[in-house]
Amino acid sequence: MALCFTPQNHMMLVAAIAVLHLLQLVAVTPVLHAATNIALPGCISKCGEVSVPYPFGIGAGCYREGFQLTCNETYNVPKLFVGNTRAEVLNISLHDGKLYINNGVVSVTGSNRYSMTWEIPLHNTIFTVSSVWNNFVVMGCGFDFLVSLPDAESPVARCSSLCLSEHPAVATDGLCSGVGCCEASMPGAGSLYSIELASFQARNHMIMEEQPFNATVVLVEKQWWDKNDHFVLLQKAVSDGSAQSMQIKTAVKWSFSNLSCGDAQSSSDYGCRSYNSYCHDHWTGESSGSFCRCSYGYEGNPYIVNGCQDIDERAHPDIYQCFGQCINTEGSYDCVCPIGTSGNPQKPHGCIQDRKIFRISCCCRSSQLWRPCASYFLCNSLEAKDKSPKSKAFENFFL
């Protein structure tokens, strides 16, 4: 189909295109939100490289009871600690109810049997080292590793690491399957454990004769252990003797309240202060309690008034993937194909260029003379009668 063309109609067409481009520009203009403080007014919100969100805090009046932290500025980069303990804080997750501490490494050397008490410095605190989130990892070979709670009559978790003649004493290949490295589950939530290492006799000709063992023990979060080659990096650091300088991430559980959400919401101690927040029951199979979260599509601090702010998904393309045009909305976002394309914007190369053609022809004539049109006409019938080159004038005009 061809449409008749006049200068006035051409200007209308150009104006319409300009409006479409303006709308597209507005759609991608970032929506700015005022930055919100994660700490209470007048309180420190960061120590070194670690953010300190309320209910945690540094200094009087800045924290909820039990959530006191200490910022030690004597280090080149200030370090954050739980209260007056030696537990260094690496990160605080409000969304997951987790506190990540640097639990370090323990080196154990012996030839027959060695026993010790493993202490995580969180006694008399509200924090619990979770057996769901963490494992014991023991690097080295030639021993059985046994772990139990202090009052248990027998070990409740164990692993063994063999010394094979064609393998290094400490595995460095990222595997921890019983040769140069072994893993043992935690026997339960707590902060104090009894551990024992015992050397064992050779069982066949592939195994070296009984050797003094040299083991390195860590209590590490499972997810951290499996990410970003931390496994390999730690094994190599143990092998070359530099492990003491590594930060070993251990996950610690905390709850804002010991009450369930149902009970907390009807109490005077309900903690979810921000709009777009909700209460989450914190059950890990070990203990209960509750804490607050920002609603889906929001981030920030649910314990502070207006602490949960809309997420601008366009700033996080690695999380909110959109291969078209990402449009931020309140609490969500839209992913659409840009103007002039169509398809699936959620897939790479999913938006295909449209092939729509606008045919504009001057189709009015008087005798053999062509003149500008005075109005719109449909010219299919004229084109069918007259296939001369003149009737093709101005055709195939693309936007």
Side-chain angles (χ1 to χ4, degrees):
M1 178 182 293
L3 297 178
C4 293
F5 173 79
T6 68
Q8 292 81 4
N9 291 329
H10 174 68
M11 291 303 295
M12 292 175 61
L13 181 62
V14 171
I17 296 171
V19 170
L20 288 175
H21 282 292
L22 179 60
L23 290 174
Q24 184 177 16
L25 179 62
V26 171
V28 300
T29 301
V31 177
L32 301 179
H33 293 282
T36 57
N37 196 354
I38 59 174
L40 292 181
C43 295
I44 297 173
S45 61
K46 197 166 189 179
C47 173
E49 299 177 351
V50 184
S51 296
V52 184
Y54 183 80
F56 296 87
I58 301 169
C62 292
Y63 55 87
R64 177 179 171 84
E65 183 178 357
F67 289 82
Q68 179 185 5
L69 303 178
T70 301
C71 186
N72 189 331
E73 298 181 340
T74 62
Y75 294 91
N76 185 34
V77 177
K79 291 185 178 182
L80 188 65
F81 294 87
V82 175
N84 296 316
T85 73
R86 295 177 287 106
E88 180 189 355
V89 178
L90 301 178
N91 188 31
I92 300 170
S93 172
L94 294 184
H95 182 80
D96 296 320
K98 287 184 180 181
L99 178 78
Y100 296 96
I101 64 171
N102 178 18
N103 203 37
V105 301
V106 174
S107 296
V108 181
T109 301
S111 59
N112 293 308
R113 189 175 297 272
Y114 182 92
S115 300
M116 66 174 291
T117 298
W118 178 289
E119 178 187 356
I120 298 94
L122 294 173
H123 285 309
N124 301 318
T125 70
I126 63 171
F127 307 107
T128 304
V129 180
S130 171
S131 61
V132 176
W133 299 333
N134 303 283
N135 268 352
F136 280 103
V137 175
V138 192
M139 289 156 284
C141 69
F143 55 78
D144 286 322
F145 174 78
L146 306 92
V147 57
S148 63
L149 295 172
D151 298 328
E153 295 182 357
S154 60
V156 292
R158 66 186 300 165
C159 70
S160 299
S161 180
L162 303 179
C163 294
L164 297 185
S165 58
E166 297 181 358
H167 291 75
V170 177
T172 56
D173 55 2
L175 298 178
C176 197
S177 54
V179 179
C181 181
C182 71
E183 291 187 68
S185 60
M186 291 180 62
S191 59
L192 195 66
Y193 299 92
S194 296
I195 65 174
E196 182 178 316
L197 284 98
S199 60
F200 51 81
Q201 288 292 119
R203 295 188 179 89
N204 58 58
H205 67 280
M206 293 186 64
I207 303 176
M208 299 169 60
E209 295 298 324
E210 181 179 358
Q211 297 287 323
F213 57 80
N214 188 342
T216 299
V217 186
V218 296
L219 181 59
V220 61
E221 187 203 25
K222 300 174 187 177
Q223 291 184 357
W224 179 88
W225 182 240
D226 294 332
K227 285 183 179 179
N228 302 325
D229 295 325
H230 289 146
F231 216 140
V232 175
L233 292 175
L234 180 56
Q235 286 180 336
K236 290 183 176 179
V238 169
S239 180
D240 64 24
S242 62
Q244 293 292 337
S245 62
M246 287 194 67
Q247 291 184 337
I248 309 301
K249 183 177 282 189
T250 302
V252 177
K253 175 188 172 183
W254 61 269
S255 294
F256 182 85
S257 170
N258 291 327
L259 300 175
S260 68
C261 285
D263 293 334
Q265 288 172 349
S266 59
S267 74
S268 59
D269 195 35
Y270 185 57
C272 307
R273 302 287 305 280
S274 177
Y275 289 111
N276 303 307
S277 69
Y278 66 97
C279 183
H280 176 77
D281 283 310
H282 201 182
W283 172 250
T284 60
E286 301 164 332
S287 59
S288 59
S290 60
F291 63 97
C292 300
R293 283 177 170 174
C294 288
S295 302
Y296 181 81
Y298 296 84
E299 62 184 356
N301 191 336
Y303 303 100
I304 294 178
V305 175
N306 297 325
C308 294
Q309 294 291 314
D310 173 57
I311 297 174
D312 186 352
E313 289 81 4
R314 296 166 300 179
H316 307 282
D318 55 326
I319 301 176
Y320 309 96
Q321 290 192 348
C322 178
F323 298 94
Q325 178 181 324
C326 184
I327 302 173
N328 186 48
T329 62
E330 186 67 23
S332 186
Y333 71 103
D334 293 325
C335 181
V336 300
C337 285
I339 294 174
T341 65
S342 58
N344 187 350
Q346 301 286 354
K347 295 183 177 180
H349 312 294
C351 294
I352 308 300
Q353 186 71 35
D354 292 338
R355 294 296 182 183
K356 191 172 183 179
I357 298 174
F358 296 88
R359 304 178 64 201
I360 304 175
S361 300
C362 187
C363 57
C364 303
R365 60 181 179 175
S366 175
S367 204
Q368 298 299 319
L369 298 176
W370 291 79
R371 60 184 176 81
C373 299
S375 60
Y376 289 115
F377 291 94
L378 298 180
C379 306
N380 282 359
S381 59
L382 293 177
E383 288 183 342
K385 293 180 180 179
D386 188 353
K387 299 296 183 180
S388 67
K390 290 181 180 181
S391 66
K392 300 296 184 180
F394 297 100
E395 284 188 2
N396 300 325
F397 181 80
F398 295 85
L399 289 181

